[in-house]
Amino acid sequence: KKFLIRIQLVIIDEAITALEMSLRLDYSSSRNAWLHLGMAHYLQGRYGQAAETLEKGLVKRPGFVGYYIARAAAYALLDRSEDAASAADDVRRLDPFFEVESFGTAFRNPSHRQAIAAGLRKAGLQ
């Protein structure tokens, strides 16, 4: 099990490297590159970097609910409860039928699903 966790961390680190390079070469390279990069930082436990990255993505796509979802989780785990609650309110406004369990299905790794769900629940999302 420890071996698999180390492999997963290496893969996430490689994803971070690739996404950062992509954004350096073309700041507007992908509609979701900022979200993927933010989530990679989140899954590494780098919640401050995740929040900062997701804020940059939100500038590019202000109406995209994914950024608010991920920010709510990152802020919650940074103990920025007011920011987490505000992001959670935005999630409910943009997606009134949002469910933590449904969002979590995007993550194949059960530990990743649990990590994002924990942050979202701490932010007050169900």
Side-chain angles (χ1 to χ4, degrees):
K1 186 173 182 175
K2 287 182 183 182
F3 178 73
L4 288 176
I5 290 170
R6 273 185 255 156
I7 288 175
Q8 291 168 1
L9 294 177
V10 168
I11 291 170
I12 292 172
D13 280 339
E14 289 175 2
I16 289 171
T17 300
L19 287 162
E20 286 174 343
M21 180 180 295
S22 170
L23 289 166
R24 266 194 309 275
L25 295 173
D26 182 3
Y27 191 72
S28 61
S29 65
S30 168
R31 293 169 36 108
N32 295 328
W34 294 103
L35 177 62
H36 298 305
L37 181 57
M39 288 306 305
H41 284 302
Y42 180 95
L43 293 172
Q44 291 288 61
R46 301 176 193 141
Y47 307 119
Q49 283 181 287
E52 185 179 310
T53 300
L54 296 162
E55 289 162 5
K56 289 177 184 176
L58 195 56
V59 170
K60 296 289 185 186
R61 293 187 67 197
F64 180 54
V65 70
Y67 287 113
Y68 294 98
I69 294 167
R71 284 174 66 216
Y75 288 153
L77 293 180
L78 286 168
D79 291 323
R80 292 174 54 181
S81 56
E82 288 181 24
D83 292 328
S86 177
D89 287 343
D90 288 327
V91 170
R92 290 185 202 96
R93 178 179 52 82
L94 293 167
D95 184 356
F97 302 105
F98 175 80
E99 294 178 345
V100 170
E101 294 305 319
S102 295
F103 182 76
T105 61
F107 299 91
R108 291 183 184 160
N109 182 314
S111 67
H112 294 170
R113 282 194 296 273
Q114 292 167 356
I116 189 67
L120 294 171
R121 287 196 180 95
K122 186 173 181 181
L125 291 164
Q126 299 300 319

